[in-house]
Amino acid sequence: MTRLFHALSVRRVWLVLLPITLIFASPYVIRLLNTYFSAAGGNNLPPLPGALLAIITVPFVLFMFVDLYLLSQVEALLLVGLLALGICLFIVLRKRGGRGARVLAGLTAVAIVALPVVFYRTPYFEYLEARGYAVYAIPSQQNFLDAAVDGVVSQFDGKACQYDLLGWTAENVLYYDRDCRFTGTTTWQYDPTVNQARLVPMVAEPLVTEAETLLVHPAYAPIDHRSPDGRWVASVWEKHAYEPENVIVVHQPNSDQ
């Protein structure tokens, strides 16, 4: 009876641990696959190695779609990450599930803690900077976790949130909407004089600018808003159509600092 109880306890630990491991290992595996195929010039493996690689990686690819929901926003990443980290540490410290489970739980805990550092990502600005624009701020990336979420979802050709510029006020304050999977649509205010974005209940001031295309992107025509004083251009910027997007504010060439 004792052996049976022990076997059932070990099985329960694995049933909890394996999904957690797949959730947080999936971004790393997909990143390795993307790096390999990019270096190899595409999926040009012979049939047998290609089939073996597909079989080995299919669980991680399937959990990629789970990650697009669970890890696609800072609030969700923190909630799921802290819960998973607590479970992994409990397994390790309380010596649950056998040695194999404890080793896997320890590795998973390391993957969770390292995720914001490994997947930290800033938007693609080289094209802008080569044309004389100076990127002043990224209002939609308030901290390193925002950049980490962008890095994670970019592995899956996804978007953490989508943005819609509303316009500038006469006092050169920018308003924009953020639409995320878990929090829905929220309105944000950004003041470049203090370089700070904050959540607001609504647009409280008249907006005086119209959408136009001012910046140049190699893949699409951005929708931009020029500030009334002419110093700033706000844009929703993304590298590709299926990668994360962000609100950016840039100095125009030859504008006063």
Side-chain angles (χ1 to χ4, degrees), residues 199-237:
L199 180 66
V200 294
M202 64 182 71
V203 178
E205 306 167 75
L207 303 177
V208 298
T209 60
E210 298 289 339
E212 51 186 325
T213 298
L214 300 169
L215 306 183
V216 179
H217 192 283
Y220 65 95
I223 298 176
D224 312 316
H225 280 260
R226 190 200 314 265
S227 63
D229 64 2
R231 294 181 62 194
W232 316 100
V233 174
S235 181
V236 177
W237 194 254

PDB file of all heavy atoms in Angstrom, residues 199-237:
ATOM      1  N   LEU A 199      -1.944  55.365 -17.468  1.00  0.00           N
ATOM      2  CA  LEU A 199      -3.292  54.922 -17.790  1.00  0.00           C
ATOM      3  C   LEU A 199      -4.294  55.986 -17.374  1.00  0.00           C
ATOM      4  O   LEU A 199      -4.218  56.514 -16.261  1.00  0.00           O
ATOM      5  CB  LEU A 199      -3.575  53.603 -17.066  1.00  0.00           C
ATOM      6  CG  LEU A 199      -4.943  52.959 -17.270  1.00  0.00           C
ATOM      7  CD1 LEU A 199      -5.116  52.506 -18.707  1.00  0.00           C
ATOM      8  CD2 LEU A 199      -5.098  51.775 -16.318  1.00  0.00           C
ATOM      9  N   VAL A 200      -5.231  56.301 -18.261  1.00  0.00           N
ATOM     10  CA  VAL A 200      -6.256  57.303 -17.958  1.00  0.00           C
ATOM     11  C   VAL A 200      -7.626  56.720 -18.290  1.00  0.00           C
ATOM     12  O   VAL A 200      -7.752  55.826 -19.134  1.00  0.00           O
ATOM     13  CB  VAL A 200      -6.022  58.605 -18.758  1.00  0.00           C
ATOM     14  CG1 VAL A 200      -4.732  59.285 -18.318  1.00  0.00           C
ATOM     15  CG2 VAL A 200      -6.000  58.331 -20.257  1.00  0.00           C
ATOM     16  N   PRO A 201      -8.671  57.207 -17.635  1.00  0.00           N
ATOM     17  CA  PRO A 201     -10.007  56.656 -17.908  1.00  0.00           C
ATOM     18  C   PRO A 201     -10.551  57.036 -19.275  1.00  0.00           C
ATOM     19  O   PRO A 201     -11.338  56.293 -19.864  1.00  0.00           O
ATOM     20  CB  PRO A 201     -10.864  57.237 -16.777  1.00  0.00           C
ATOM     21  CG  PRO A 201     -10.126  58.454 -16.313  1.00  0.00           C
ATOM     22  CD  PRO A 201      -8.678  58.150 -16.503  1.00  0.00           C
ATOM     23  N   MET A 202     -10.141  58.198 -19.778  1.00  0.00           N
ATOM     24  CA  MET A 202     -10.648  58.663 -21.073  1.00  0.00           C
ATOM     25  C   MET A 202      -9.772  59.805 -21.568  1.00  0.00           C
ATOM     26  O   MET A 202      -8.911  60.314 -20.841  1.00  0.00           O
ATOM     27  CB  MET A 202     -12.098  59.149 -20.943  1.00  0.00           C
ATOM     28  CG  MET A 202     -12.252  60.363 -20.043  1.00  0.00           C
ATOM     29  SD  MET A 202     -13.963  60.883 -19.840  1.00  0.00           S
ATOM     30  CE  MET A 202     -14.568  59.541 -18.832  1.00  0.00           C
ATOM     31  N   VAL A 203     -10.013  60.200 -22.810  1.00  0.00           N
ATOM     32  CA  VAL A 203      -9.331  61.378 -23.359  1.00  0.00           C
ATOM     33  C   VAL A 203     -10.021  62.609 -22.797  1.00  0.00           C
ATOM     34  O   VAL A 203     -11.198  62.859 -23.074  1.00  0.00           O
ATOM     35  CB  VAL A 203      -9.376  61.378 -24.898  1.00  0.00           C
ATOM     36  CG1 VAL A 203      -8.713  62.639 -25.438  1.00  0.00           C
ATOM     37  CG2 VAL A 203      -8.703  60.132 -25.452  1.00  0.00           C
ATOM     38  N   ALA A 204      -9.288  63.378 -21.994  1.00  0.00           N
ATOM     39  CA  ALA A 204      -9.900  64.497 -21.277  1.00  0.00           C
ATOM     40  C   ALA A 204      -9.714  65.832 -21.979  1.00  0.00           C
ATOM     41  O   ALA A 204     -10.268  66.840 -21.545  1.00  0.00           O
ATOM     42  CB  ALA A 204      -9.323  64.577 -19.865  1.00  0.00           C
ATOM     43  N   GLU A 205      -8.920  65.864 -23.061  1.00  0.00           N
ATOM     44  CA  GLU A 205      -8.635  67.119 -23.747  1.00  0.00           C
ATOM     45  C   GLU A 205      -8.895  66.950 -25.241  1.00  0.00           C
ATOM     46  O   GLU A 205      -8.783  65.836 -25.773  1.00  0.00           O
ATOM     47  CB  GLU A 205      -7.175  67.527 -23.524  1.00  0.00           C
ATOM     48  CG  GLU A 205      -6.757  67.591 -22.062  1.00  0.00           C
ATOM     49  CD  GLU A 205      -5.253  67.686 -21.920  1.00  0.00           C
ATOM     50  OE1 GLU A 205      -4.706  68.779 -22.166  1.00  0.00           O
ATOM     51  OE2 GLU A 205      -4.628  66.666 -21.587  1.00  0.00           O
ATOM     52  N   PRO A 206      -9.215  68.024 -25.935  1.00  0.00           N
ATOM     53  CA  PRO A 206      -9.425  67.924 -27.384  1.00  0.00           C
ATOM     54  C   PRO A 206      -8.138  67.517 -28.105  1.00  0.00           C
ATOM     55  O   PRO A 206      -7.047  67.981 -27.763  1.00  0.00           O
ATOM     56  CB  PRO A 206      -9.859  69.341 -27.781  1.00  0.00           C
ATOM     57  CG  PRO A 206     -10.323  69.982 -26.514  1.00  0.00           C
ATOM     58  CD  PRO A 206      -9.503  69.375 -25.420  1.00  0.00           C
ATOM     59  N   LEU A 207      -8.278  66.647 -29.087  1.00  0.00           N
ATOM     60  CA  LEU A 207      -7.145  66.226 -29.905  1.00  0.00           C
ATOM     61  C   LEU A 207      -7.131  67.053 -31.182  1.00  0.00           C
ATOM     62  O   LEU A 207      -8.167  67.244 -31.822  1.00  0.00           O
ATOM     63  CB  LEU A 207      -7.249  64.736 -30.223  1.00  0.00           C
ATOM     64  CG  LEU A 207      -7.330  63.810 -28.997  1.00  0.00           C
ATOM     65  CD1 LEU A 207      -7.500  62.366 -29.428  1.00  0.00           C
ATOM     66  CD2 LEU A 207      -6.094  63.968 -28.120  1.00  0.00           C
ATOM     67  N   VAL A 208      -5.947  67.519 -31.556  1.00  0.00           N
ATOM     68  CA  VAL A 208      -5.869  68.502 -32.641  1.00  0.00           C
ATOM     69  C   VAL A 208      -5.072  68.002 -33.840  1.00  0.00           C
ATOM     70  O   VAL A 208      -4.830  68.773 -34.774  1.00  0.00           O
ATOM     71  CB  VAL A 208      -5.250  69.821 -32.118  1.00  0.00           C
ATOM     72  CG1 VAL A 208      -6.124  70.430 -31.025  1.00  0.00           C
ATOM     73  CG2 VAL A 208      -3.826  69.597 -31.600  1.00  0.00           C
ATOM     74  N   THR A 209      -4.667  66.739 -33.849  1.00  0.00           N
ATOM     75  CA  THR A 209      -3.862  66.231 -34.965  1.00  0.00           C
ATOM     76  C   THR A 209      -4.625  65.160 -35.731  1.00  0.00           C
ATOM     77  O   THR A 209      -5.517  64.498 -35.199  1.00  0.00           O
ATOM     78  CB  THR A 209      -2.529  65.648 -34.470  1.00  0.00           C
ATOM     79  OG1 THR A 209      -2.791  64.565 -33.557  1.00  0.00           O
ATOM     80  CG2 THR A 209      -1.711  66.710 -33.761  1.00  0.00           C
ATOM     81  N   GLU A 210      -4.241  64.997 -36.985  1.00  0.00           N
ATOM     82  CA  GLU A 210      -4.823  63.981 -37.854  1.00  0.00           C
ATOM     83  C   GLU A 210      -3.757  62.947 -38.216  1.00  0.00           C
ATOM     84  O   GLU A 210      -2.562  63.239 -38.242  1.00  0.00           O
ATOM     85  CB  GLU A 210      -5.365  64.626 -39.140  1.00  0.00           C
ATOM     86  CG  GLU A 210      -6.477  65.633 -38.917  1.00  0.00           C
ATOM     87  CD  GLU A 210      -7.774  64.973 -38.485  1.00  0.00           C
ATOM     88  OE1 GLU A 210      -7.931  63.760 -38.748  1.00  0.00           O
ATOM     89  OE2 GLU A 210      -8.620  65.666 -37.887  1.00  0.00           O
ATOM     90  N   ALA A 211      -4.218  61.738 -38.506  1.00  0.00           N
ATOM     91  CA  ALA A 211      -3.292  60.677 -38.902  1.00  0.00           C
ATOM     92  C   ALA A 211      -2.701  60.973 -40.273  1.00  0.00           C
ATOM     93  O   ALA A 211      -3.392  61.457 -41.173  1.00  0.00           O
ATOM     94  CB  ALA A 211      -4.018  59.336 -38.916  1.00  0.00           C
ATOM     95  N   GLU A 212      -1.422  60.682 -40.428  1.00  0.00           N
ATOM     96  CA  GLU A 212      -0.733  60.836 -41.706  1.00  0.00           C
ATOM     97  C   GLU A 212       0.453  59.877 -41.721  1.00  0.00           C
ATOM     98  O   GLU A 212       0.803  59.286 -40.698  1.00  0.00           O
ATOM     99  CB  GLU A 212      -0.256  62.280 -41.899  1.00  0.00           C
ATOM    100  CG  GLU A 212       0.537  62.831 -40.732  1.00  0.00           C
ATOM    101  CD  GLU A 212       0.865  64.308 -40.893  1.00  0.00           C
ATOM    102  OE1 GLU A 212       1.102  64.742 -42.038  1.00  0.00           O
ATOM    103  OE2 GLU A 212       0.889  65.028 -39.882  1.00  0.00           O
ATOM    104  N   THR A 213       1.041  59.693 -42.877  1.00  0.00           N
ATOM    105  CA  THR A 213       2.224  58.844 -42.993  1.00  0.00           C
ATOM    106  C   THR A 213       3.448  59.738 -43.116  1.00  0.00           C
ATOM    107  O   THR A 213       3.624  60.431 -44.116  1.00  0.00           O
ATOM    108  CB  THR A 213       2.125  57.905 -44.209  1.00  0.00           C
ATOM    109  OG1 THR A 213       1.008  57.033 -44.031  1.00  0.00           O
ATOM    110  CG2 THR A 213       3.387  57.063 -44.342  1.00  0.00           C
ATOM    111  N   LEU A 214       4.279  59.721 -42.071  1.00  0.00           N
ATOM    112  CA  LEU A 214       5.468  60.564 -42.024  1.00  0.00           C
ATOM    113  C   LEU A 214       6.748  59.739 -42.031  1.00  0.00           C
ATOM    114  O   LEU A 214       7.727  60.102 -42.671  1.00  0.00           O
ATOM    115  CB  LEU A 214       5.436  61.444 -40.767  1.00  0.00           C
ATOM    116  CG  LEU A 214       4.242  62.399 -40.664  1.00  0.00           C
ATOM    117  CD1 LEU A 214       4.167  63.004 -39.269  1.00  0.00           C
ATOM    118  CD2 LEU A 214       4.356  63.501 -41.709  1.00  0.00           C
ATOM    119  N   LEU A 215       6.746  58.640 -41.293  1.00  0.00           N
ATOM    120  CA  LEU A 215       7.919  57.778 -41.235  1.00  0.00           C
ATOM    121  C   LEU A 215       7.903  56.796 -42.400  1.00  0.00           C
ATOM    122  O   LEU A 215       6.884  56.630 -43.073  1.00  0.00           O
ATOM    123  CB  LEU A 215       7.957  57.023 -39.904  1.00  0.00           C
ATOM    124  CG  LEU A 215       7.875  57.889 -38.645  1.00  0.00           C
ATOM    125  CD1 LEU A 215       7.990  57.027 -37.397  1.00  0.00           C
ATOM    126  CD2 LEU A 215       8.936  58.976 -38.650  1.00  0.00           C
ATOM    127  N   VAL A 216       9.027  56.159 -42.618  1.00  0.00           N
ATOM    128  CA  VAL A 216       9.157  55.219 -43.732  1.00  0.00           C
ATOM    129  C   VAL A 216       9.527  53.856 -43.173  1.00  0.00           C
ATOM    130  O   VAL A 216      10.452  53.727 -42.367  1.00  0.00           O
ATOM    131  CB  VAL A 216      10.233  55.687 -44.731  1.00  0.00           C
ATOM    132  CG1 VAL A 216      10.375  54.674 -45.861  1.00  0.00           C
ATOM    133  CG2 VAL A 216       9.885  57.061 -45.281  1.00  0.00           C
ATOM    134  N   HIS A 217       8.786  52.847 -43.580  1.00  0.00           N
ATOM    135  CA  HIS A 217       9.071  51.465 -43.193  1.00  0.00           C
ATOM    136  C   HIS A 217       9.182  50.633 -44.465  1.00  0.00           C
ATOM    137  O   HIS A 217       8.417  50.850 -45.414  1.00  0.00           O
ATOM    138  CB  HIS A 217       7.957  50.921 -42.298  1.00  0.00           C
ATOM    139  CG  HIS A 217       8.292  49.622 -41.629  1.00  0.00           C
ATOM    140  ND1 HIS A 217       8.271  48.416 -42.288  1.00  0.00           N
ATOM    141  CD2 HIS A 217       8.661  49.338 -40.355  1.00  0.00           C
ATOM    142  CE1 HIS A 217       8.603  47.445 -41.455  1.00  0.00           C
ATOM    143  NE2 HIS A 217       8.845  47.976 -40.278  1.00  0.00           N
ATOM    144  N   PRO A 218      10.118  49.688 -44.522  1.00  0.00           N
ATOM    145  CA  PRO A 218      10.299  48.925 -45.764  1.00  0.00           C
ATOM    146  C   PRO A 218       9.147  48.003 -46.102  1.00  0.00           C
ATOM    147  O   PRO A 218       9.029  47.567 -47.246  1.00  0.00           O
ATOM    148  CB  PRO A 218      11.583  48.124 -45.501  1.00  0.00           C
ATOM    149  CG  PRO A 218      11.688  48.049 -44.010  1.00  0.00           C
ATOM    150  CD  PRO A 218      11.120  49.333 -43.504  1.00  0.00           C
ATOM    151  N   ALA A 219       8.264  47.697 -45.133  1.00  0.00           N
ATOM    152  CA  ALA A 219       7.227  46.696 -45.378  1.00  0.00           C
ATOM    153  C   ALA A 219       5.810  47.257 -45.394  1.00  0.00           C
ATOM    154  O   ALA A 219       4.903  46.608 -45.905  1.00  0.00           O
ATOM    155  CB  ALA A 219       7.317  45.579 -44.332  1.00  0.00           C
ATOM    156  N   TYR A 220       5.590  48.439 -44.844  1.00  0.00           N
ATOM    157  CA  TYR A 220       4.232  48.974 -44.778  1.00  0.00           C
ATOM    158  C   TYR A 220       4.304  50.482 -44.567  1.00  0.00           C
ATOM    159  O   TYR A 220       5.368  51.040 -44.282  1.00  0.00           O
ATOM    160  CB  TYR A 220       3.434  48.317 -43.647  1.00  0.00           C
ATOM    161  CG  TYR A 220       3.967  48.632 -42.269  1.00  0.00           C
ATOM    162  CD1 TYR A 220       3.437  49.670 -41.507  1.00  0.00           C
ATOM    163  CD2 TYR A 220       5.023  47.904 -41.729  1.00  0.00           C
ATOM    164  CE1 TYR A 220       3.933  49.970 -40.258  1.00  0.00           C
ATOM    165  CE2 TYR A 220       5.525  48.195 -40.479  1.00  0.00           C
ATOM    166  CZ  TYR A 220       4.980  49.227 -39.744  1.00  0.00           C
ATOM    167  OH  TYR A 220       5.489  49.524 -38.507  1.00  0.00           O
ATOM    168  N   ALA A 221       3.163  51.152 -44.707  1.00  0.00           N
ATOM    169  CA  ALA A 221       3.094  52.596 -44.492  1.00  0.00           C
ATOM    170  C   ALA A 221       2.604  52.861 -43.072  1.00  0.00           C
ATOM    171  O   ALA A 221       1.440  52.591 -42.760  1.00  0.00           O
ATOM    172  CB  ALA A 221       2.153  53.238 -45.503  1.00  0.00           C
ATOM    173  N   PRO A 222       3.454  53.360 -42.188  1.00  0.00           N
ATOM    174  CA  PRO A 222       3.024  53.601 -40.807  1.00  0.00           C
ATOM    175  C   PRO A 222       1.942  54.675 -40.725  1.00  0.00           C
ATOM    176  O   PRO A 222       1.832  55.541 -41.591  1.00  0.00           O
ATOM    177  CB  PRO A 222       4.312  54.074 -40.117  1.00  0.00           C
ATOM    178  CG  PRO A 222       5.425  53.676 -41.024  1.00  0.00           C
ATOM    179  CD  PRO A 222       4.859  53.699 -42.406  1.00  0.00           C
ATOM    180  N   ILE A 223       1.146  54.605 -39.667  1.00  0.00           N
ATOM    181  CA  ILE A 223       0.160  55.639 -39.364  1.00  0.00           C
ATOM    182  C   ILE A 223       0.734  56.488 -38.236  1.00  0.00           C
ATOM    183  O   ILE A 223       0.952  55.991 -37.131  1.00  0.00           O
ATOM    184  CB  ILE A 223      -1.186  55.020 -38.959  1.00  0.00           C
ATOM    185  CG1 ILE A 223      -1.751  54.200 -40.118  1.00  0.00           C
ATOM    186  CG2 ILE A 223      -2.171  56.101 -38.534  1.00  0.00           C
ATOM    187  CD1 ILE A 223      -3.024  53.464 -39.779  1.00  0.00           C
ATOM    188  N   ASP A 224       0.993  57.754 -38.528  1.00  0.00           N
ATOM    189  CA  ASP A 224       1.726  58.611 -37.606  1.00  0.00           C
ATOM    190  C   ASP A 224       0.892  59.836 -37.228  1.00  0.00           C
ATOM    191  O   ASP A 224      -0.072  60.197 -37.904  1.00  0.00           O
ATOM    192  CB  ASP A 224       3.040  59.080 -38.244  1.00  0.00           C
ATOM    193  CG  ASP A 224       3.823  57.934 -38.879  1.00  0.00           C
ATOM    194  OD1 ASP A 224       3.917  56.876 -38.233  1.00  0.00           O
ATOM    195  OD2 ASP A 224       4.314  58.107 -40.009  1.00  0.00           O
ATOM    196  N   HIS A 225       1.322  60.470 -36.138  1.00  0.00           N
ATOM    197  CA  HIS A 225       0.760  61.755 -35.719  1.00  0.00           C
ATOM    198  C   HIS A 225       1.911  62.684 -35.360  1.00  0.00           C
ATOM    199  O   HIS A 225       2.758  62.335 -34.533  1.00  0.00           O
ATOM    200  CB  HIS A 225      -0.163  61.586 -34.502  1.00  0.00           C
ATOM    201  CG  HIS A 225      -1.529  61.097 -34.841  1.00  0.00           C
ATOM    202  ND1 HIS A 225      -2.633  61.925 -34.931  1.00  0.00           N
ATOM    203  CD2 HIS A 225      -1.978  59.852 -35.119  1.00  0.00           C
ATOM    204  CE1 HIS A 225      -3.699  61.205 -35.234  1.00  0.00           C
ATOM    205  NE2 HIS A 225      -3.332  59.950 -35.355  1.00  0.00           N
ATOM    206  N   ARG A 226       1.922  63.879 -35.973  1.00  0.00           N
ATOM    207  CA  ARG A 226       2.939  64.884 -35.672  1.00  0.00           C
ATOM    208  C   ARG A 226       2.416  65.798 -34.564  1.00  0.00           C
ATOM    209  O   ARG A 226       1.262  66.247 -34.593  1.00  0.00           O
ATOM    210  CB  ARG A 226       3.243  65.714 -36.919  1.00  0.00           C
ATOM    211  CG  ARG A 226       4.459  66.629 -36.789  1.00  0.00           C
ATOM    212  CD  ARG A 226       4.414  67.753 -37.823  1.00  0.00           C
ATOM    213  NE  ARG A 226       4.068  67.277 -39.149  1.00  0.00           N
ATOM    214  CZ  ARG A 226       4.953  66.962 -40.096  1.00  0.00           C
ATOM    215  NH1 ARG A 226       6.238  67.067 -39.839  1.00  0.00           N
ATOM    216  NH2 ARG A 226       4.547  66.559 -41.286  1.00  0.00           N
ATOM    217  N   SER A 227       3.268  66.073 -33.565  1.00  0.00           N
ATOM    218  CA  SER A 227       2.849  66.950 -32.473  1.00  0.00           C
ATOM    219  C   SER A 227       2.634  68.370 -32.994  1.00  0.00           C
ATOM    220  O   SER A 227       3.253  68.784 -33.982  1.00  0.00           O
ATOM    221  CB  SER A 227       3.894  66.953 -31.360  1.00  0.00           C
ATOM    222  OG  SER A 227       5.123  67.483 -31.822  1.00  0.00           O
ATOM    223  N   PRO A 228       1.754  69.141 -32.353  1.00  0.00           N
ATOM    224  CA  PRO A 228       1.471  70.498 -32.841  1.00  0.00           C
ATOM    225  C   PRO A 228       2.698  71.402 -32.927  1.00  0.00           C
ATOM    226  O   PRO A 228       2.762  72.267 -33.806  1.00  0.00           O
ATOM    227  CB  PRO A 228       0.466  71.036 -31.806  1.00  0.00           C
ATOM    228  CG  PRO A 228      -0.205  69.814 -31.280  1.00  0.00           C
ATOM    229  CD  PRO A 228       0.863  68.757 -31.250  1.00  0.00           C
ATOM    230  N   ASP A 229       3.678  71.214 -32.030  1.00  0.00           N
ATOM    231  CA  ASP A 229       4.866  72.068 -32.094  1.00  0.00           C
ATOM    232  C   ASP A 229       5.888  71.566 -33.109  1.00  0.00           C
ATOM    233  O   ASP A 229       6.933  72.193 -33.306  1.00  0.00           O
ATOM    234  CB  ASP A 229       5.508  72.206 -30.713  1.00  0.00           C
ATOM    235  CG  ASP A 229       6.042  70.879 -30.171  1.00  0.00           C
ATOM    236  OD1 ASP A 229       5.949  69.848 -30.883  1.00  0.00           O
ATOM    237  OD2 ASP A 229       6.546  70.863 -29.031  1.00  0.00           O
ATOM    238  N   GLY A 230       5.614  70.428 -33.750  1.00  0.00           N
ATOM    239  CA  GLY A 230       6.489  69.922 -34.797  1.00  0.00           C
ATOM    240  C   GLY A 230       7.721  69.187 -34.316  1.00  0.00           C
ATOM    241  O   GLY A 230       8.524  68.730 -35.135  1.00  0.00           O
ATOM    242  N   ARG A 231       7.892  69.030 -33.007  1.00  0.00           N
ATOM    243  CA  ARG A 231       9.108  68.390 -32.490  1.00  0.00           C
ATOM    244  C   ARG A 231       9.036  66.873 -32.533  1.00  0.00           C
ATOM    245  O   ARG A 231      10.061  66.211 -32.655  1.00  0.00           O
ATOM    246  CB  ARG A 231       9.364  68.833 -31.045  1.00  0.00           C
ATOM    247  CG  ARG A 231       9.693  70.302 -30.875  1.00  0.00           C
ATOM    248  CD  ARG A 231       9.956  70.610 -29.411  1.00  0.00           C
ATOM    249  NE  ARG A 231      11.102  69.858 -28.905  1.00  0.00           N
ATOM    250  CZ  ARG A 231      11.382  69.723 -27.617  1.00  0.00           C
ATOM    251  NH1 ARG A 231      10.577  70.255 -26.705  1.00  0.00           N
ATOM    252  NH2 ARG A 231      12.448  69.044 -27.234  1.00  0.00           N
ATOM    253  N   TRP A 232       7.842  66.314 -32.402  1.00  0.00           N
ATOM    254  CA  TRP A 232       7.711  64.878 -32.204  1.00  0.00           C
ATOM    255  C   TRP A 232       6.841  64.244 -33.279  1.00  0.00           C
ATOM    256  O   TRP A 232       5.907  64.856 -33.783  1.00  0.00           O
ATOM    257  CB  TRP A 232       7.075  64.582 -30.836  1.00  0.00           C
ATOM    258  CG  TRP A 232       7.613  65.383 -29.706  1.00  0.00           C
ATOM    259  CD1 TRP A 232       7.053  66.497 -29.133  1.00  0.00           C
ATOM    260  CD2 TRP A 232       8.835  65.161 -29.010  1.00  0.00           C
ATOM    261  NE1 TRP A 232       7.836  66.971 -28.124  1.00  0.00           N
ATOM    262  CE2 TRP A 232       8.944  66.169 -28.020  1.00  0.00           C
ATOM    263  CE3 TRP A 232       9.846  64.215 -29.112  1.00  0.00           C
ATOM    264  CZ2 TRP A 232      10.022  66.250 -27.152  1.00  0.00           C
ATOM    265  CZ3 TRP A 232      10.926  64.289 -28.243  1.00  0.00           C
ATOM    266  CH2 TRP A 232      11.007  65.290 -27.283  1.00  0.00           C
ATOM    267  N   VAL A 233       7.166  63.004 -33.578  1.00  0.00           N
ATOM    268  CA  VAL A 233       6.296  62.168 -34.402  1.00  0.00           C
ATOM    269  C   VAL A 233       6.024  60.887 -33.623  1.00  0.00           C
ATOM    270  O   VAL A 233       6.959  60.201 -33.196  1.00  0.00           O
ATOM    271  CB  VAL A 233       6.935  61.823 -35.765  1.00  0.00           C
ATOM    272  CG1 VAL A 233       6.063  60.821 -36.523  1.00  0.00           C
ATOM    273  CG2 VAL A 233       7.121  63.083 -36.596  1.00  0.00           C
ATOM    274  N   ALA A 234       4.753  60.592 -33.422  1.00  0.00           N
ATOM    275  CA  ALA A 234       4.355  59.345 -32.766  1.00  0.00           C
ATOM    276  C   ALA A 234       3.908  58.357 -33.835  1.00  0.00           C
ATOM    277  O   ALA A 234       3.255  58.734 -34.815  1.00  0.00           O
ATOM    278  CB  ALA A 234       3.224  59.594 -31.773  1.00  0.00           C
ATOM    279  N   SER A 235       4.264  57.101 -33.635  1.00  0.00           N
ATOM    280  CA  SER A 235       3.934  56.082 -34.629  1.00  0.00           C
ATOM    281  C   SER A 235       3.732  54.741 -33.936  1.00  0.00           C
ATOM    282  O   SER A 235       4.279  54.498 -32.855  1.00  0.00           O
ATOM    283  CB  SER A 235       5.059  55.964 -35.664  1.00  0.00           C
ATOM    284  OG  SER A 235       4.747  54.990 -36.654  1.00  0.00           O
ATOM    285  N   VAL A 236       2.935  53.885 -34.562  1.00  0.00           N
ATOM    286  CA  VAL A 236       2.857  52.484 -34.146  1.00  0.00           C
ATOM    287  C   VAL A 236       3.833  51.727 -35.030  1.00  0.00           C
ATOM    288  O   VAL A 236       3.659  51.645 -36.241  1.00  0.00           O
ATOM    289  CB  VAL A 236       1.428  51.930 -34.290  1.00  0.00           C
ATOM    290  CG1 VAL A 236       1.403  50.452 -33.922  1.00  0.00           C
ATOM    291  CG2 VAL A 236       0.468  52.711 -33.405  1.00  0.00           C
ATOM    292  N   TRP A 237       4.862  51.161 -34.417  1.00  0.00           N
ATOM    293  CA  TRP A 237       6.002  50.636 -35.164  1.00  0.00           C
ATOM    294  C   TRP A 237       6.154  49.144 -34.928  1.00  0.00           C
ATOM    295  O   TRP A 237       6.066  48.663 -33.806  1.00  0.00           O
ATOM    296  CB  TRP A 237       7.269  51.355 -34.715  1.00  0.00           C
ATOM    297  CG  TRP A 237       8.450  51.162 -35.614  1.00  0.00           C
ATOM    298  CD1 TRP A 237       9.539  50.388 -35.373  1.00  0.00           C
ATOM    299  CD2 TRP A 237       8.662  51.764 -36.892  1.00  0.00           C
ATOM    300  NE1 TRP A 237      10.426  50.466 -36.419  1.00  0.00           N
ATOM    301  CE2 TRP A 237       9.903  51.307 -37.370  1.00  0.00           C
ATOM    302  CE3 TRP A 237       7.908  52.634 -37.680  1.00  0.00           C
ATOM    303  CZ2 TRP A 237      10.423  51.694 -38.596  1.00  0.00           C
ATOM    304  CZ3 TRP A 237       8.426  53.022 -38.900  1.00  0.00           C
ATOM    305  CH2 TRP A 237       9.661  52.561 -39.350  1.00  0.00           C
TER     306      TRP A 237
END
